[in-house]
Amino acid sequence: MVRLFLTFAILCGLYNEAYGKSSIDIDMKLKALNKPALKTIKSEDGDIIDCVDIYKQHAFDHPALRNHKIQMKPSVVFGTTKTTIPNNGTSKPITSQIWSKSGTCPKGTVPVRRVSREDIMRASSPSHFGRKTPRRYDFLDNALKHKGNFNITAERIRQPRPKDRSEAILIAIGYNYLGAQSDINVWNPPGVQFNDYSSSQIWLLAGLSDKFETIEAGWVVNPHVFGDSRTRLFTYWTKDSYATTGCTNLLCSGFVQTTTRFALGAAVEPVSTPSSEQYHITVSMYLDPNTLNWWLTCGDNVIGYWPGNLFTYLKHSATAVQWGGEVYSTNVRKKPHTKTTMGSGRWPSYLYGEACFHTNVRIKDYSLQIKYPPYLSEYSDEYDCYSTKLNRETYRAEPVFFFGGPGQNRFCP
């Protein structure tokens, strides 16, 4: 009996020590993320938005940004060469977020979605909160050798695919890209499983297969990070293949926010519905040649930037651009496959009004001209689960890249 009591006491002590350490780590994370607010806005969707002094935002906790002088606006603009979509209908731009109905942040502050203790507790550890798992992009090693003639489909099929990601993408490879843009059709994909996420986004990549850098932006449904299934504006960055650096939105130091109008991680609405109104966000990411900062804009709103000194390979240009969607799940390439959908949840062959799309796809290179990419490839990791279709109604029409799918189905059991 005495031995049993001692064993029980030791186990309780170990549990309390571990729980206490975890609780302290969570407290430290909350303190780092939730900076003192000059104003607080309670959104009708349940989010709390803190208006934080622009000079005291979390970005400047990054060691590389301790003496960083904030750039309030880009010295250049991405510009635009948009067209409408003849014979295909025209989607409407989203120009605000739900929280902005409840108030505005004053000049000199930035709106930051408040993180809760419950948010962090859903992560495997506070240090992994808001972070993707490591992966490789094997095509990057050969991309620069082949430039625009590179066959991404053949290359990717030969290489091992990530065990927990599935992408359906349009990709441009091999040039010195200084920016990328598209109108991303906004949906709320049904059936996103609690531990999965589903995104529609743009990626800019540079580096090597096992040590690449990326900046990303678009919309995502990520119940594990946000605790619900709303469609939310998101960004991401990493300088080491998602291994130890970078994160979603402002959940680590790095991205410098300058806007008072948009909050990263806040919900986006309205969303598109089948055979009805279609909505989009116009996402642009581009390099400021005078400061080497990578700027992010959403429509006419300048959101902020990734400082150039966060990166090595991306400091001067990107070598690949991807447009499309990504599903994260531990049940991709397995049976049973995840039921998490991508895009609208419908096949690209359903086209406008039913399938999710990117349109007005553009790049900027060293010519400083905004152009439709001269060489593009389509690729899907699991074509029976999520697929792609680059469609052009007429030879004069703007190409539209449709992507997505239902995940688990009779072809993808």
Side-chain angles (χ1 to χ4, degrees):
M1 182 64 72
V2 173
R3 181 179 296 174
L4 183 62
F5 175 80
L6 289 173
T7 301
F8 178 75
I10 291 170
L11 289 174
C12 285
L14 291 172
Y15 173 81
N16 287 331
E17 181 181 356
Y19 178 80
K21 185 176 187 300
S22 176
S23 181
I24 292 171
D25 290 344
I26 292 173
D27 289 340
M28 291 175 63
K29 190 74 171 179
L30 285 170
K31 185 176 181 180
L33 295 178
N34 296 328
K35 300 296 185 183
L38 299 180
K39 179 181 177 180
T40 295
I41 300 168
K42 293 184 178 179
S43 175
E44 64 183 46
D45 63 359
D47 279 355
I48 297 176
I49 304 298
D50 289 325
C51 302
V52 176
D53 186 325
I54 191 170
Y55 294 101
K56 296 180 180 178
Q57 60 181 294
H58 187 34
F60 302 121
D61 291 339
H62 194 287
L65 304 180
R66 292 284 164 81
N67 298 312
H68 180 79
K69 183 178 179 180
I70 192 168
Q71 184 180 358
M72 298 306 295
K73 60 182 181 180
S75 65
V76 297
V77 295
F78 185 88
T80 183
T81 56
K82 286 192 176 186
T83 65
T84 55
I85 314 169
N87 308 318
N88 261 27
T90 303
S91 60
K92 296 180 178 180
I94 295 173
T95 58
S96 62
Q97 292 176 299
I98 297 173
W99 69 270
S100 61
K101 298 177 184 177
S102 304
T104 58
C105 281
K107 187 177 180 180
T109 68
V110 291
V112 179
R113 180 184 179 272
R114 186 181 297 180
V115 175
S116 70
R117 176 174 291 271
E118 290 72 27
D119 289 339
I120 298 175
M121 288 179 68
R122 287 190 296 271
S124 59
S125 71
S127 62
H128 286 88
F129 176 56
R131 281 180 39 202
K132 295 186 179 185
T133 55
R135 65 157 299 167
R136 294 172 59 93
Y137 276 110
D138 289 279
F139 68 83
L140 285 171
D141 289 344
N142 294 322
L144 287 175
K145 299 176 185 177
H146 299 276
K147 299 288 184 182
N149 297 317
F150 188 52
N151 188 332
I152 182 62
T153 302
E155 174 71 13
R156 278 203 159 184
I157 287 173
R158 287 197 297 268
Q159 301 292 348
R161 288 179 265 184
K163 63 182 179 180
D164 56 10
R165 310 266 230 298
S166 193
E167 293 178 351
I169 58 168
L170 185 67
I171 183 166
I173 292 179
Y175 290 87
N176 295 309
Y177 300 109
L178 303 184
Q181 176 181 278
S182 74
D183 294 344
I184 309 177
N185 189 205
V186 177
W187 290 80
N188 184 246
V192 176
Q193 305 298 292
F194 188 78
N195 291 313
D196 298 356
Y197 67 71
S198 182
S199 69
S200 296
Q201 62 176 97
I202 306 173
W203 296 254
L204 282 162
L205 301 113
L208 306 174
S209 61
D210 59 349
K211 193 175 182 181
F212 63 84
E213 299 174 347
T214 176
I215 54 175
E216 308 168 19
W219 60 259
V220 69
V221 173
N222 192 335
H224 197 62
V225 169
F226 299 108
D228 60 33
S229 295
R230 291 187 178 93
T231 300
R232 297 176 177 274
L233 180 68
F234 94 101
T235 63
Y236 202 97
W237 72 274
T238 180
K239 67 169 296 180
D240 63 355
S241 311
Y242 307 114
T244 61
T245 62
C247 62
T248 299
N249 303 331
L250 308 177
L251 300 181
C252 64
S253 52
F255 185 86
V256 178
Q257 187 168 326
T258 58
T259 183
T260 59
R261 296 188 58 192
F262 277 75
L264 296 176
V268 175
E269 72 169 23
V271 297
S272 304
T273 52
S275 302
S276 187
E277 290 284 5
Q278 299 298 298
Y279 297 93
H280 71 266
I281 53 174
T282 300
V283 173
S284 305
M285 294 181 283
Y286 58 95
L287 185 69
D288 186 326
N290 296 310
T291 62
L292 303 182
N293 297 328
W294 285 94
W295 283 89
L296 168 68
T297 65
C298 188
D300 295 329
N301 297 284
V302 177
I303 306 298
Y305 61 91
W306 292 274
N309 56 352
L310 292 177
F311 305 109
T312 301
Y313 297 106
L314 272 176
K315 184 162 285 190
H316 301 288
S317 66
T319 53
V321 184
Q322 295 185 166
W323 298 263
E326 179 179 76
V327 164
Y328 167 86
S329 176
T330 55
N331 291 312
V332 295
R333 277 181 284 283
K334 289 182 181 178
K335 293 183 180 180
H337 192 278
T338 181
K339 295 180 179 179
T340 291
T341 60
M342 180 191 293
S344 69
R346 301 194 177 196
W347 295 111
S349 56
Y350 282 69
L351 301 180
Y352 186 88
E354 302 288 335
C356 191
F357 62 82
H358 286 254
T359 192
N360 288 306
V361 169
R362 298 290 185 270
I363 56 96
K364 182 185 280 188
D365 58 21
Y366 277 138
S367 73
L368 301 183
Q369 300 298 308
I370 300 160
K371 61 184 76 172
Y372 185 79
Y375 300 101
L376 288 168
S377 298
E378 296 175 64
Y379 179 80
S380 176
D381 280 313
E382 300 178 288
Y383 214 80
D384 290 332
C385 312
Y386 315 105
S387 63
T388 67
K389 182 178 179 64
L390 183 58
N391 188 66
R392 198 168 196 161
E393 290 291 308
T394 69
Y395 77 96
R396 290 185 176 181
E398 176 71 26
V400 183
F401 175 64
F402 295 98
F403 64 97
Q408 187 184 124
N409 66 86
R410 64 192 179 98
F411 303 109
C412 174

